[in-house]
Amino acid sequence: MSQQETDEQVNDGFVVDTEDCEERELAHRERGTSHPITVVGNPVLHKECKDVTEFDDKLAQLIDDMFASQRTAEGVGLAANQIGVDLKVFVYDCPDDEGVRHTGYVVNPVLRELPADRRVLDDSNEGCLSVPTAYAALARPDYAEVHGQDAKGNPIKVRGTGYFARCLQHETDHLYGYLYIDRLSKRDRKDALKQMAEGTPRYPIVPND
């Protein structure tokens, strides 16, 4: 992300991620290199990632590469371990239920726990680039708030509702070693893995040995 974006305007401490989405996403991916997607079974997906401690050009390049990889895979969110990098970073380019586009990234994200009176569950279908061609219904809160840092190490907060809230929760889960199928019943998880086995990914993946 450029210094101009840093950066970005904030509202009540939350990043404004709905402005200039097309230009920002394009700038990231034009600087980046697309990488194949790691899939369920790859060890990097099944453990907590390392905290980012160096906010340098390598981190900026990783973010650019993640945006490029996300576009190739036609995803709405991507965690660093999904391209084999053991660091707590995710990017997103995702609409909410009102069709408003949100584009950005979070370094070292922490999902804020909601009080019980704010937990309204949405049991929509969910999918994952690391479980290609599979989908399953999964109940998640319809509001999410993530605290983390930007590429310079400055504190940021991101919030979302509906589909975007699901994205924020899904990507944060990745960085702590959880796939969405880990939150399913054994039966539904087995069904999702069957869907994956029977399908053909539309993007490059890293085959598991």
Side-chain angles (χ1 to χ4, degrees):
M1 185 166 269
S2 68
Q3 184 65 35
Q4 180 179 356
E5 288 178 35
T6 293
D7 327 74
E8 290 175 331
Q9 299 173 347
V10 291
N11 179 21
D12 297 330
F14 289 91
V15 169
V16 176
D17 56 10
T18 56
E19 297 178 355
D20 303 319
C21 291
E22 187 73 28
E23 293 84 353
R24 291 188 291 109
E25 189 272 342
L26 178 61
H28 279 300
R29 63 184 167 89
E30 283 191 335
R31 293 190 299 261
T33 300
S34 182
H35 297 271
I37 304 297
T38 57
V39 296
V40 57
N42 189 309
V44 75
L45 295 175
H46 302 282
K47 63 185 181 70
E48 181 175 346
C49 292
K50 296 174 182 176
D51 290 339
V52 173
T53 57
E54 296 184 17
F55 297 84
D56 54 13
D57 290 344
K58 288 184 179 180
L59 175 61
Q61 186 61 58
L62 171 62
I63 292 168
D64 291 340
D65 289 353
M66 290 172 66
F67 271 102
S69 304
Q70 175 178 252
R71 174 54 70 97
T72 298
E74 299 179 9
V76 297
L78 185 75
N81 52 357
Q82 291 184 276
I83 58 168
V85 178
D86 183 15
L87 288 174
K88 284 181 181 166
V89 186
F90 73 75
V91 302
Y92 60 88
D93 187 14
C94 182
D96 59 27
D97 284 357
E98 284 68 50
V100 177
R101 183 177 178 180
H102 298 260
T103 303
Y105 69 87
V106 186
V107 179
N108 296 330
V110 176
L111 187 68
R112 182 182 178 189
E113 290 294 326
L114 296 176
D117 62 352
R118 294 193 63 183
R119 287 177 61 87
V120 178
L121 295 180
D122 169 15
D123 61 356
S124 297
N125 264 9
E126 191 161 327
C128 178
L129 297 178
S130 292
V131 193
T133 73
Y135 297 90
L138 177 62
R140 290 191 190 265
D142 70 353
Y143 173 85
E145 187 175 306
V146 172
H147 295 203
Q149 293 166 284
D150 67 13
K152 303 295 183 181
N154 301 308
I156 58 172
K157 296 188 291 184
V158 179
R159 60 184 170 188
T161 58
Y163 186 54
F164 181 42
R166 181 175 294 275
C167 175
L168 292 174
Q169 294 168 81
H170 180 112
E171 300 309 330
T172 302
D173 269 358
H174 268 303
L175 300 176
Y176 289 86
Y178 295 99
L179 297 166
Y180 86 98
I181 59 172
D182 296 329
R183 299 190 178 277
L184 300 175
S185 68
K186 288 184 179 180
R187 179 179 178 179
D188 288 346
R189 186 179 193 277
K190 183 177 180 180
D191 180 65
L193 291 173
K194 182 181 178 183
Q195 291 179 53
M196 175 181 166
E198 293 175 347
T200 301
R202 63 182 184 273
Y203 44 83
I205 64 169
V206 179
N208 293 325
D209 295 331

